[in-house]
Amino acid sequence: QKEVEQDPGPLSVPEGAIVSLNCTYSNSAFQYFMWYRQYSRKGPELLMYTYSSGNKEDGRFTAQVDKSSKYISLFIRDSQPSDSATYLCASIQTGANNLFFGTGTRLTVIP
Amino acid sequence: NAGVTQTPKFRVLKTGQSMTLLCAQDMNHEYMYWYRQDPGMGLRLIHYSVGEGTTAKGEVPDGYNVSRLKKQNFLLGLESAAPSQTSVYFCATKGAGAGQETQYFGPGTRLLVL
């Protein structure tokens, strides 16, 4: 079983839709949870970063962590064509060196 | 402030050839990492360094060597390239200290081994 599992999609939505991206993880020691966005032929860039359980909001983006079910979510409101990218979830234990990534979900927002 | 840079951007090798990928950072980060990204496999850690002069193996280290002679540079070497090493390679850096768990990535190096 992979440390972090992510539905690879692809996911295609119309402009303005609410997007929900999800991951599950297996290691209960994970404390930090991240979402990276990766445009085609570019490196991953950090989008959101949360510690432990709860919600974090940044503009149109909301990251949610439920440690009881080991579930990580990213919601995008009012999705834009510029949001079209691959979204990677990642998790790590405090003080550890190995950041575990999901395989990524490719999102396309259609104008 | 360039952040994390990688050289070269793209390279084609023949089986058995060697090459070195360079990662450079101006973020004064202690930790540096080399990942490879393959379709359906996600990002996998090859080697990492927790400071100048240190290196350690990650999840998929076989066929690769690394060196961290200077804090700002992390080199990834392929001594005898194989087609299975065709991939996109990313370098990442991270600061030390509590709460600094976020890794910052370079733009990647695309490697094709024929």
Side-chain angles (χ1 to χ4, degrees), chain A residues 2 32 34 36 38 41-44 46 49 88 95 97-99 101 103, chain B residues 31 33 35 37 40-41 43 45 48 50 90 99 101-103 105-107 110:
Chain A
K2 284 178 65 72
Y32 292 86
M34 299 147 198
Y36 284 83
Q38 185 175 22
R41 295 184 171 266
K42 300 289 186 184
L46 183 69
Y49 161 45
L88 304 162
N97 286 298
N98 208 354
L99 183 60
F101 285 87
T103 51
Chain B
Y31 295 78
Y33 306 84
Y35 291 89
Q37 187 176 39
M41 302 292 289
L43 283 156
L45 183 63
Y48 64 95
V50 300
F90 288 100
E101 305 298 340
T102 304
Q103 294 185 18
F105 284 80
R110 293 182 170 273

PDB file of all heavy atoms in Angstrom, chain A residues 2 32 34 36 38 41-44 46 49 88 95 97-99 101 103, chain B residues 31 33 35 37 40-41 43 45 48 50 90 99 101-103 105-107 110:
ATOM      1  N   LYS A   2       0.581   2.167  -0.911  1.00  0.00           N
ATOM      2  CA  LYS A   2       1.345   3.401  -0.954  1.00  0.00           C
ATOM      3  C   LYS A   2       1.005   4.246   0.270  1.00  0.00           C
ATOM      4  O   LYS A   2      -0.107   4.191   0.795  1.00  0.00           O
ATOM      5  CB  LYS A   2       0.994   4.174  -2.227  1.00  0.00           C
ATOM      6  CG  LYS A   2       1.650   3.590  -3.481  1.00  0.00           C
ATOM      7  CD  LYS A   2       1.239   4.349  -4.706  1.00  0.00           C
ATOM      8  CE  LYS A   2       1.718   5.777  -4.735  1.00  0.00           C
ATOM      9  NZ  LYS A   2       3.157   5.887  -4.964  1.00  0.00           N
ATOM     10  N   TYR A  32       2.028  16.894   8.729  1.00  0.00           N
ATOM     11  CA  TYR A  32       2.002  18.013   7.800  1.00  0.00           C
ATOM     12  C   TYR A  32       1.426  17.545   6.474  1.00  0.00           C
ATOM     13  O   TYR A  32       1.793  16.486   5.970  1.00  0.00           O
ATOM     14  CB  TYR A  32       3.416  18.570   7.582  1.00  0.00           C
ATOM     15  CG  TYR A  32       3.986  19.241   8.809  1.00  0.00           C
ATOM     16  CD1 TYR A  32       4.649  18.498   9.765  1.00  0.00           C
ATOM     17  CD2 TYR A  32       3.837  20.610   9.005  1.00  0.00           C
ATOM     18  CE1 TYR A  32       5.167  19.104  10.901  1.00  0.00           C
ATOM     19  CE2 TYR A  32       4.349  21.222  10.127  1.00  0.00           C
ATOM     20  CZ  TYR A  32       5.013  20.466  11.078  1.00  0.00           C
ATOM     21  OH  TYR A  32       5.516  21.069  12.192  1.00  0.00           O
ATOM     22  N   MET A  34       0.322  18.851   2.504  1.00  0.00           N
ATOM     23  CA  MET A  34       0.541  19.901   1.518  1.00  0.00           C
ATOM     24  C   MET A  34      -0.173  19.586   0.218  1.00  0.00           C
ATOM     25  O   MET A  34      -0.380  18.417  -0.122  1.00  0.00           O
ATOM     26  CB  MET A  34       2.041  20.032   1.228  1.00  0.00           C
ATOM     27  CG  MET A  34       2.851  20.415   2.445  1.00  0.00           C
ATOM     28  SD  MET A  34       4.485  19.674   2.385  1.00  0.00           S
ATOM     29  CE  MET A  34       5.004  19.786   4.069  1.00  0.00           C
ATOM     30  N   TYR A  36       0.453  20.657  -3.767  1.00  0.00           N
ATOM     31  CA  TYR A  36       1.286  21.302  -4.765  1.00  0.00           C
ATOM     32  C   TYR A  36       0.510  21.367  -6.084  1.00  0.00           C
ATOM     33  O   TYR A  36      -0.251  20.459  -6.412  1.00  0.00           O
ATOM     34  CB  TYR A  36       2.578  20.514  -4.992  1.00  0.00           C
ATOM     35  CG  TYR A  36       3.612  20.668  -3.901  1.00  0.00           C
ATOM     36  CD1 TYR A  36       3.556  19.896  -2.737  1.00  0.00           C
ATOM     37  CD2 TYR A  36       4.649  21.583  -4.035  1.00  0.00           C
ATOM     38  CE1 TYR A  36       4.519  20.041  -1.741  1.00  0.00           C
ATOM     39  CE2 TYR A  36       5.608  21.726  -3.042  1.00  0.00           C
ATOM     40  CZ  TYR A  36       5.530  20.952  -1.909  1.00  0.00           C
ATOM     41  OH  TYR A  36       6.484  21.091  -0.915  1.00  0.00           O
ATOM     42  N   GLN A  38       1.158  21.699 -10.221  1.00  0.00           N
ATOM     43  CA  GLN A  38       2.203  21.529 -11.212  1.00  0.00           C
ATOM     44  C   GLN A  38       1.629  21.771 -12.607  1.00  0.00           C
ATOM     45  O   GLN A  38       0.806  20.991 -13.092  1.00  0.00           O
ATOM     46  CB  GLN A  38       2.811  20.124 -11.123  1.00  0.00           C
ATOM     47  CG  GLN A  38       3.999  19.916 -12.044  1.00  0.00           C
ATOM     48  CD  GLN A  38       4.659  18.554 -11.863  1.00  0.00           C
ATOM     49  OE1 GLN A  38       4.047  17.603 -11.367  1.00  0.00           O
ATOM     50  NE2 GLN A  38       5.919  18.446 -12.247  1.00  0.00           N
ATOM     51  N   ARG A  41       5.096  20.649 -17.776  1.00  0.00           N
ATOM     52  CA  ARG A  41       6.528  20.881 -18.004  1.00  0.00           C
ATOM     53  C   ARG A  41       7.148  21.887 -17.030  1.00  0.00           C
ATOM     54  O   ARG A  41       8.131  22.561 -17.352  1.00  0.00           O
ATOM     55  CB  ARG A  41       6.795  21.288 -19.444  1.00  0.00           C
ATOM     56  CG  ARG A  41       6.454  20.181 -20.424  1.00  0.00           C
ATOM     57  CD  ARG A  41       6.790  20.529 -21.852  1.00  0.00           C
ATOM     58  NE  ARG A  41       6.644  19.348 -22.702  1.00  0.00           N
ATOM     59  CZ  ARG A  41       7.625  18.531 -23.019  1.00  0.00           C
ATOM     60  NH1 ARG A  41       8.849  18.752 -22.574  1.00  0.00           N
ATOM     61  NH2 ARG A  41       7.412  17.479 -23.790  1.00  0.00           N
ATOM     62  N   LYS A  42       6.571  21.985 -15.833  1.00  0.00           N
ATOM     63  CA  LYS A  42       7.115  22.851 -14.792  1.00  0.00           C
ATOM     64  C   LYS A  42       7.311  22.048 -13.515  1.00  0.00           C
ATOM     65  O   LYS A  42       6.831  20.920 -13.385  1.00  0.00           O
ATOM     66  CB  LYS A  42       6.145  24.012 -14.505  1.00  0.00           C
ATOM     67  CG  LYS A  42       5.853  24.904 -15.693  1.00  0.00           C
ATOM     68  CD  LYS A  42       7.041  25.755 -16.071  1.00  0.00           C
ATOM     69  CE  LYS A  42       6.687  26.741 -17.163  1.00  0.00           C
ATOM     70  NZ  LYS A  42       7.867  27.516 -17.604  1.00  0.00           N
ATOM     71  N   GLY A  43       8.032  22.632 -12.562  1.00  0.00           N
ATOM     72  CA  GLY A  43       8.183  22.001 -11.268  1.00  0.00           C
ATOM     73  C   GLY A  43       6.969  22.230 -10.389  1.00  0.00           C
ATOM     74  O   GLY A  43       6.216  23.182 -10.586  1.00  0.00           O
ATOM     75  N   PRO A  44       6.742  21.350  -9.394  1.00  0.00           N
ATOM     76  CA  PRO A  44       5.632  21.557  -8.459  1.00  0.00           C
ATOM     77  C   PRO A  44       5.843  22.839  -7.644  1.00  0.00           C
ATOM     78  O   PRO A  44       6.959  23.155  -7.247  1.00  0.00           O
ATOM     79  CB  PRO A  44       5.714  20.329  -7.545  1.00  0.00           C
ATOM     80  CG  PRO A  44       6.514  19.314  -8.285  1.00  0.00           C
ATOM     81  CD  PRO A  44       7.477  20.102  -9.106  1.00  0.00           C
ATOM     82  N   LEU A  46       4.226  25.002  -4.245  1.00  0.00           N
ATOM     83  CA  LEU A  46       3.379  24.845  -3.077  1.00  0.00           C
ATOM     84  C   LEU A  46       2.141  25.718  -3.196  1.00  0.00           C
ATOM     85  O   LEU A  46       2.220  26.908  -3.467  1.00  0.00           O
ATOM     86  CB  LEU A  46       4.149  25.223  -1.817  1.00  0.00           C
ATOM     87  CG  LEU A  46       3.366  25.035  -0.522  1.00  0.00           C
ATOM     88  CD1 LEU A  46       3.161  23.539  -0.247  1.00  0.00           C
ATOM     89  CD2 LEU A  46       4.097  25.695   0.628  1.00  0.00           C
ATOM     90  N   TYR A  49      -0.708  24.499   2.701  1.00  0.00           N
ATOM     91  CA  TYR A  49       0.086  23.757   3.692  1.00  0.00           C
ATOM     92  C   TYR A  49      -0.684  23.803   5.003  1.00  0.00           C
ATOM     93  O   TYR A  49      -1.021  24.874   5.498  1.00  0.00           O
ATOM     94  CB  TYR A  49       1.447  24.427   3.788  1.00  0.00           C
ATOM     95  CG  TYR A  49       2.280  24.157   4.988  1.00  0.00           C
ATOM     96  CD1 TYR A  49       2.452  22.886   5.491  1.00  0.00           C
ATOM     97  CD2 TYR A  49       2.948  25.215   5.602  1.00  0.00           C
ATOM     98  CE1 TYR A  49       3.246  22.655   6.581  1.00  0.00           C
ATOM     99  CE2 TYR A  49       3.757  24.987   6.701  1.00  0.00           C
ATOM    100  CZ  TYR A  49       3.909  23.712   7.191  1.00  0.00           C
ATOM    101  OH  TYR A  49       4.717  23.490   8.277  1.00  0.00           O
ATOM    102  N   LEU A  88      -0.948  17.783  -6.705  1.00  0.00           N
ATOM    103  CA  LEU A  88      -0.285  16.716  -5.960  1.00  0.00           C
ATOM    104  C   LEU A  88      -0.506  16.927  -4.471  1.00  0.00           C
ATOM    105  O   LEU A  88      -0.234  18.017  -3.955  1.00  0.00           O
ATOM    106  CB  LEU A  88       1.222  16.730  -6.227  1.00  0.00           C
ATOM    107  CG  LEU A  88       1.684  16.642  -7.675  1.00  0.00           C
ATOM    108  CD1 LEU A  88       3.126  17.108  -7.808  1.00  0.00           C
ATOM    109  CD2 LEU A  88       1.574  15.216  -8.169  1.00  0.00           C
ATOM    110  N   GLY A  95       9.834  16.236  11.523  1.00  0.00           N
ATOM    111  CA  GLY A  95      11.247  15.895  11.608  1.00  0.00           C
ATOM    112  C   GLY A  95      11.732  14.857  10.620  1.00  0.00           C
ATOM    113  O   GLY A  95      12.924  14.559  10.578  1.00  0.00           O
ATOM    114  N   ASN A  97      12.471  13.178   6.757  1.00  0.00           N
ATOM    115  CA  ASN A  97      13.027  13.713   5.513  1.00  0.00           C
ATOM    116  C   ASN A  97      12.253  13.287   4.281  1.00  0.00           C
ATOM    117  O   ASN A  97      12.372  13.912   3.240  1.00  0.00           O
ATOM    118  CB  ASN A  97      14.483  13.281   5.361  1.00  0.00           C
ATOM    119  CG  ASN A  97      15.391  14.043   6.289  1.00  0.00           C
ATOM    120  OD1 ASN A  97      15.506  15.255   6.197  1.00  0.00           O
ATOM    121  ND2 ASN A  97      16.006  13.347   7.219  1.00  0.00           N
ATOM    122  N   ASN A  98      11.497  12.218   4.380  1.00  0.00           N
ATOM    123  CA  ASN A  98      10.806  11.702   3.211  1.00  0.00           C
ATOM    124  C   ASN A  98       9.388  12.255   3.110  1.00  0.00           C
ATOM    125  O   ASN A  98       8.517  11.912   3.896  1.00  0.00           O
ATOM    126  CB  ASN A  98      10.777  10.170   3.258  1.00  0.00           C
ATOM    127  CG  ASN A  98      10.710   9.578   1.863  1.00  0.00           C
ATOM    128  OD1 ASN A  98      10.576  10.301   0.887  1.00  0.00           O
ATOM    129  ND2 ASN A  98      10.777   8.272   1.776  1.00  0.00           N
ATOM    130  N   LEU A  99       9.194  13.148   2.144  1.00  0.00           N
ATOM    131  CA  LEU A  99       7.871  13.695   1.851  1.00  0.00           C
ATOM    132  C   LEU A  99       7.202  12.735   0.881  1.00  0.00           C
ATOM    133  O   LEU A  99       7.735  12.472  -0.194  1.00  0.00           O
ATOM    134  CB  LEU A  99       8.021  15.084   1.227  1.00  0.00           C
ATOM    135  CG  LEU A  99       6.767  15.887   0.900  1.00  0.00           C
ATOM    136  CD1 LEU A  99       5.936  16.148   2.131  1.00  0.00           C
ATOM    137  CD2 LEU A  99       7.170  17.207   0.234  1.00  0.00           C
ATOM    138  N   PHE A 101       4.350  11.640  -1.717  1.00  0.00           N
ATOM    139  CA  PHE A 101       3.445  12.277  -2.649  1.00  0.00           C
ATOM    140  C   PHE A 101       2.407  11.305  -3.174  1.00  0.00           C
ATOM    141  O   PHE A 101       2.687  10.113  -3.372  1.00  0.00           O
ATOM    142  CB  PHE A 101       4.216  12.816  -3.857  1.00  0.00           C
ATOM    143  CG  PHE A 101       4.999  14.055  -3.589  1.00  0.00           C
ATOM    144  CD1 PHE A 101       6.293  13.982  -3.095  1.00  0.00           C
ATOM    145  CD2 PHE A 101       4.441  15.304  -3.836  1.00  0.00           C
ATOM    146  CE1 PHE A 101       7.018  15.132  -2.845  1.00  0.00           C
ATOM    147  CE2 PHE A 101       5.159  16.455  -3.596  1.00  0.00           C
ATOM    148  CZ  PHE A 101       6.451  16.372  -3.090  1.00  0.00           C
ATOM    149  N   THR A 103       0.062  10.440  -6.595  1.00  0.00           N
ATOM    150  CA  THR A 103       0.474  10.416  -7.999  1.00  0.00           C
ATOM    151  C   THR A 103      -0.007  11.636  -8.773  1.00  0.00           C
ATOM    152  O   THR A 103       0.451  11.887  -9.876  1.00  0.00           O
ATOM    153  CB  THR A 103      -0.046   9.151  -8.697  1.00  0.00           C
ATOM    154  OG1 THR A 103      -1.444   9.034  -8.459  1.00  0.00           O
ATOM    155  CG2 THR A 103       0.659   7.911  -8.160  1.00  0.00           C
TER     156      THR A 103
ATOM    157  N   TYR B  31      18.501  21.591   3.769  1.00  0.00           N
ATOM    158  CA  TYR B  31      18.125  20.306   3.203  1.00  0.00           C
ATOM    159  C   TYR B  31      17.944  20.424   1.694  1.00  0.00           C
ATOM    160  O   TYR B  31      17.340  21.378   1.201  1.00  0.00           O
ATOM    161  CB  TYR B  31      16.799  19.823   3.799  1.00  0.00           C
ATOM    162  CG  TYR B  31      16.840  19.520   5.271  1.00  0.00           C
ATOM    163  CD1 TYR B  31      16.808  20.546   6.214  1.00  0.00           C
ATOM    164  CD2 TYR B  31      16.906  18.211   5.723  1.00  0.00           C
ATOM    165  CE1 TYR B  31      16.835  20.269   7.573  1.00  0.00           C
ATOM    166  CE2 TYR B  31      16.927  17.920   7.083  1.00  0.00           C
ATOM    167  CZ  TYR B  31      16.899  18.960   7.995  1.00  0.00           C
ATOM    168  OH  TYR B  31      16.929  18.675   9.337  1.00  0.00           O
ATOM    169  N   TYR B  33      17.098  17.788  -1.906  1.00  0.00           N
ATOM    170  CA  TYR B  33      16.542  16.498  -2.301  1.00  0.00           C
ATOM    171  C   TYR B  33      16.599  16.341  -3.824  1.00  0.00           C
ATOM    172  O   TYR B  33      16.483  17.308  -4.560  1.00  0.00           O
ATOM    173  CB  TYR B  33      15.064  16.398  -1.893  1.00  0.00           C
ATOM    174  CG  TYR B  33      14.797  16.673  -0.438  1.00  0.00           C
ATOM    175  CD1 TYR B  33      14.651  17.977   0.023  1.00  0.00           C
ATOM    176  CD2 TYR B  33      14.684  15.631   0.474  1.00  0.00           C
ATOM    177  CE1 TYR B  33      14.407  18.243   1.365  1.00  0.00           C
ATOM    178  CE2 TYR B  33      14.442  15.887   1.819  1.00  0.00           C
ATOM    179  CZ  TYR B  33      14.299  17.190   2.254  1.00  0.00           C
ATOM    180  OH  TYR B  33      14.057  17.429   3.585  1.00  0.00           O
ATOM    181  N   TYR B  35      14.448  14.087  -6.656  1.00  0.00           N
ATOM    182  CA  TYR B  35      13.317  13.219  -6.948  1.00  0.00           C
ATOM    183  C   TYR B  35      13.318  12.879  -8.438  1.00  0.00           C
ATOM    184  O   TYR B  35      13.826  13.626  -9.252  1.00  0.00           O
ATOM    185  CB  TYR B  35      11.982  13.930  -6.669  1.00  0.00           C
ATOM    186  CG  TYR B  35      11.671  14.213  -5.228  1.00  0.00           C
ATOM    187  CD1 TYR B  35      12.084  15.403  -4.625  1.00  0.00           C
ATOM    188  CD2 TYR B  35      10.928  13.315  -4.477  1.00  0.00           C
ATOM    189  CE1 TYR B  35      11.767  15.667  -3.303  1.00  0.00           C
ATOM    190  CE2 TYR B  35      10.601  13.577  -3.156  1.00  0.00           C
ATOM    191  CZ  TYR B  35      11.035  14.763  -2.582  1.00  0.00           C
ATOM    192  OH  TYR B  35      10.711  15.021  -1.267  1.00  0.00           O
ATOM    193  N   GLN B  37      10.261  11.834 -11.355  1.00  0.00           N
ATOM    194  CA  GLN B  37       8.821  11.798 -11.561  1.00  0.00           C
ATOM    195  C   GLN B  37       8.510  11.006 -12.812  1.00  0.00           C
ATOM    196  O   GLN B  37       8.965  11.356 -13.909  1.00  0.00           O
ATOM    197  CB  GLN B  37       8.230  13.213 -11.678  1.00  0.00           C
ATOM    198  CG  GLN B  37       6.710  13.235 -11.724  1.00  0.00           C
ATOM    199  CD  GLN B  37       6.159  14.646 -11.734  1.00  0.00           C
ATOM    200  OE1 GLN B  37       6.695  15.537 -12.374  1.00  0.00           O
ATOM    201  NE2 GLN B  37       5.060  14.865 -11.003  1.00  0.00           N
ATOM    202  N   GLY B  40       2.226   7.818 -13.498  1.00  0.00           N
ATOM    203  CA  GLY B  40       1.597   6.793 -12.678  1.00  0.00           C
ATOM    204  C   GLY B  40       2.344   6.437 -11.407  1.00  0.00           C
ATOM    205  O   GLY B  40       1.844   5.662 -10.595  1.00  0.00           O
ATOM    206  N   MET B  41       3.555   7.008 -11.243  1.00  0.00           N
ATOM    207  CA  MET B  41       4.368   6.669 -10.059  1.00  0.00           C
ATOM    208  C   MET B  41       4.493   7.857  -9.116  1.00  0.00           C
ATOM    209  O   MET B  41       4.911   7.700  -7.966  1.00  0.00           O
ATOM    210  CB  MET B  41       5.767   6.225 -10.494  1.00  0.00           C
ATOM    211  CG  MET B  41       5.786   5.056 -11.434  1.00  0.00           C
ATOM    212  SD  MET B  41       5.238   3.552 -10.646  1.00  0.00           S
ATOM    213  CE  MET B  41       6.610   3.205  -9.560  1.00  0.00           C
ATOM    214  N   LEU B  43       6.095  11.371  -7.579  1.00  0.00           N
ATOM    215  CA  LEU B  43       7.454  11.793  -7.255  1.00  0.00           C
ATOM    216  C   LEU B  43       8.064  10.804  -6.273  1.00  0.00           C
ATOM    217  O   LEU B  43       7.469  10.493  -5.242  1.00  0.00           O
ATOM    218  CB  LEU B  43       7.437  13.188  -6.628  1.00  0.00           C
ATOM    219  CG  LEU B  43       7.251  14.338  -7.601  1.00  0.00           C
ATOM    220  CD1 LEU B  43       6.660  15.541  -6.886  1.00  0.00           C
ATOM    221  CD2 LEU B  43       8.583  14.709  -8.227  1.00  0.00           C
ATOM    222  N   LEU B  45      11.664   9.811  -4.069  1.00  0.00           N
ATOM    223  CA  LEU B  45      12.913  10.365  -3.561  1.00  0.00           C
ATOM    224  C   LEU B  45      14.087   9.467  -3.917  1.00  0.00           C
ATOM    225  O   LEU B  45      14.071   8.260  -3.629  1.00  0.00           O
ATOM    226  CB  LEU B  45      12.807  10.523  -2.044  1.00  0.00           C
ATOM    227  CG  LEU B  45      13.991  11.165  -1.340  1.00  0.00           C
ATOM    228  CD1 LEU B  45      14.183  12.613  -1.806  1.00  0.00           C
ATOM    229  CD2 LEU B  45      13.795  11.123   0.172  1.00  0.00           C
ATOM    230  N   TYR B  48      19.006  12.407  -0.669  1.00  0.00           N
ATOM    231  CA  TYR B  48      18.822  13.704  -0.059  1.00  0.00           C
ATOM    232  C   TYR B  48      20.045  14.060   0.793  1.00  0.00           C
ATOM    233  O   TYR B  48      20.926  13.216   1.030  1.00  0.00           O
ATOM    234  CB  TYR B  48      17.539  13.757   0.780  1.00  0.00           C
ATOM    235  CG  TYR B  48      17.523  12.838   1.980  1.00  0.00           C
ATOM    236  CD1 TYR B  48      17.883  13.299   3.241  1.00  0.00           C
ATOM    237  CD2 TYR B  48      17.101  11.514   1.859  1.00  0.00           C
ATOM    238  CE1 TYR B  48      17.843  12.458   4.346  1.00  0.00           C
ATOM    239  CE2 TYR B  48      17.068  10.671   2.949  1.00  0.00           C
ATOM    240  CZ  TYR B  48      17.424  11.137   4.193  1.00  0.00           C
ATOM    241  OH  TYR B  48      17.393  10.304   5.275  1.00  0.00           O
ATOM    242  N   VAL B  50      21.105  16.512   4.346  1.00  0.00           N
ATOM    243  CA  VAL B  50      20.627  17.336   5.455  1.00  0.00           C
ATOM    244  C   VAL B  50      21.609  18.468   5.772  1.00  0.00           C
ATOM    245  O   VAL B  50      21.388  19.223   6.726  1.00  0.00           O
ATOM    246  CB  VAL B  50      20.347  16.498   6.720  1.00  0.00           C
ATOM    247  CG1 VAL B  50      19.295  15.441   6.424  1.00  0.00           C
ATOM    248  CG2 VAL B  50      21.619  15.866   7.259  1.00  0.00           C
ATOM    249  N   PHE B  90      13.645  16.235 -10.457  1.00  0.00           N
ATOM    250  CA  PHE B  90      13.407  17.490  -9.747  1.00  0.00           C
ATOM    251  C   PHE B  90      14.287  17.559  -8.512  1.00  0.00           C
ATOM    252  O   PHE B  90      14.434  16.582  -7.779  1.00  0.00           O
ATOM    253  CB  PHE B  90      11.943  17.605  -9.312  1.00  0.00           C
ATOM    254  CG  PHE B  90      10.994  17.848 -10.443  1.00  0.00           C
ATOM    255  CD1 PHE B  90      10.253  16.822 -10.978  1.00  0.00           C
ATOM    256  CD2 PHE B  90      10.853  19.123 -10.978  1.00  0.00           C
ATOM    257  CE1 PHE B  90       9.376  17.034 -12.027  1.00  0.00           C
ATOM    258  CE2 PHE B  90       9.981  19.351 -12.028  1.00  0.00           C
ATOM    259  CZ  PHE B  90       9.249  18.313 -12.555  1.00  0.00           C
ATOM    260  N   GLY B  99       8.687  23.386  12.106  1.00  0.00           N
ATOM    261  CA  GLY B  99       7.647  23.905  11.234  1.00  0.00           C
ATOM    262  C   GLY B  99       8.059  24.122   9.790  1.00  0.00           C
ATOM    263  O   GLY B  99       7.218  24.443   8.958  1.00  0.00           O
ATOM    264  N   GLU B 101       8.589  22.392   7.074  1.00  0.00           N
ATOM    265  CA  GLU B 101       8.458  21.111   6.408  1.00  0.00           C
ATOM    266  C   GLU B 101       8.228  21.251   4.912  1.00  0.00           C
ATOM    267  O   GLU B 101       8.260  20.291   4.171  1.00  0.00           O
ATOM    268  CB  GLU B 101       7.299  20.306   7.019  1.00  0.00           C
ATOM    269  CG  GLU B 101       7.397  20.121   8.529  1.00  0.00           C
ATOM    270  CD  GLU B 101       8.631  19.351   8.958  1.00  0.00           C
ATOM    271  OE1 GLU B 101       9.229  18.642   8.124  1.00  0.00           O
ATOM    272  OE2 GLU B 101       9.006  19.464  10.133  1.00  0.00           O
ATOM    273  N   THR B 102       7.958  22.472   4.456  1.00  0.00           N
ATOM    274  CA  THR B 102       7.645  22.682   3.056  1.00  0.00           C
ATOM    275  C   THR B 102       8.881  22.570   2.190  1.00  0.00           C
ATOM    276  O   THR B 102       9.927  23.129   2.519  1.00  0.00           O
ATOM    277  CB  THR B 102       7.035  24.074   2.855  1.00  0.00           C
ATOM    278  OG1 THR B 102       5.904  24.201   3.708  1.00  0.00           O
ATOM    279  CG2 THR B 102       6.617  24.283   1.417  1.00  0.00           C
ATOM    280  N   GLN B 103       8.774  21.838   1.094  1.00  0.00           N
ATOM    281  CA  GLN B 103       9.868  21.720   0.143  1.00  0.00           C
ATOM    282  C   GLN B 103       9.586  22.590  -1.080  1.00  0.00           C
ATOM    283  O   GLN B 103       8.452  22.668  -1.544  1.00  0.00           O
ATOM    284  CB  GLN B 103      10.066  20.259  -0.263  1.00  0.00           C
ATOM    285  CG  GLN B 103      10.535  19.379   0.882  1.00  0.00           C
ATOM    286  CD  GLN B 103      10.840  17.957   0.472  1.00  0.00           C
ATOM    287  OE1 GLN B 103      11.020  17.644  -0.694  1.00  0.00           O
ATOM    288  NE2 GLN B 103      10.906  17.060   1.464  1.00  0.00           N
ATOM    289  N   PHE B 105      10.600  23.400  -5.038  1.00  0.00           N
ATOM    290  CA  PHE B 105      11.109  22.633  -6.165  1.00  0.00           C
ATOM    291  C   PHE B 105      11.719  23.502  -7.257  1.00  0.00           C
ATOM    292  O   PHE B 105      11.302  24.635  -7.478  1.00  0.00           O
ATOM    293  CB  PHE B 105       9.981  21.807  -6.786  1.00  0.00           C
ATOM    294  CG  PHE B 105       9.619  20.603  -5.975  1.00  0.00           C
ATOM    295  CD1 PHE B 105       8.802  20.717  -4.863  1.00  0.00           C
ATOM    296  CD2 PHE B 105      10.117  19.356  -6.315  1.00  0.00           C
ATOM    297  CE1 PHE B 105       8.485  19.602  -4.100  1.00  0.00           C
ATOM    298  CE2 PHE B 105       9.801  18.237  -5.561  1.00  0.00           C
ATOM    299  CZ  PHE B 105       8.982  18.362  -4.451  1.00  0.00           C
ATOM    300  N   GLY B 106      12.689  22.916  -7.958  1.00  0.00           N
ATOM    301  CA  GLY B 106      13.239  23.516  -9.158  1.00  0.00           C
ATOM    302  C   GLY B 106      12.369  23.190 -10.359  1.00  0.00           C
ATOM    303  O   GLY B 106      11.369  22.474 -10.246  1.00  0.00           O
ATOM    304  N   PRO B 107      12.764  23.679 -11.556  1.00  0.00           N
ATOM    305  CA  PRO B 107      11.943  23.514 -12.754  1.00  0.00           C
ATOM    306  C   PRO B 107      12.056  22.145 -13.418  1.00  0.00           C
ATOM    307  O   PRO B 107      11.264  21.830 -14.309  1.00  0.00           O
ATOM    308  CB  PRO B 107      12.479  24.604 -13.690  1.00  0.00           C
ATOM    309  CG  PRO B 107      13.889  24.785 -13.258  1.00  0.00           C
ATOM    310  CD  PRO B 107      13.911  24.562 -11.779  1.00  0.00           C
ATOM    311  N   ARG B 110      14.661  17.112 -17.867  1.00  0.00           N
ATOM    312  CA  ARG B 110      14.107  15.969 -18.614  1.00  0.00           C
ATOM    313  C   ARG B 110      15.262  15.166 -19.186  1.00  0.00           C
ATOM    314  O   ARG B 110      16.088  15.712 -19.919  1.00  0.00           O
ATOM    315  CB  ARG B 110      13.200  16.457 -19.743  1.00  0.00           C
ATOM    316  CG  ARG B 110      11.954  17.117 -19.243  1.00  0.00           C
ATOM    317  CD  ARG B 110      11.022  17.556 -20.353  1.00  0.00           C
ATOM    318  NE  ARG B 110       9.761  17.963 -19.765  1.00  0.00           N
ATOM    319  CZ  ARG B 110       8.763  17.154 -19.499  1.00  0.00           C
ATOM    320  NH1 ARG B 110       8.860  15.869 -19.822  1.00  0.00           N
ATOM    321  NH2 ARG B 110       7.658  17.592 -18.935  1.00  0.00           N
TER     322      ARG B 110
END
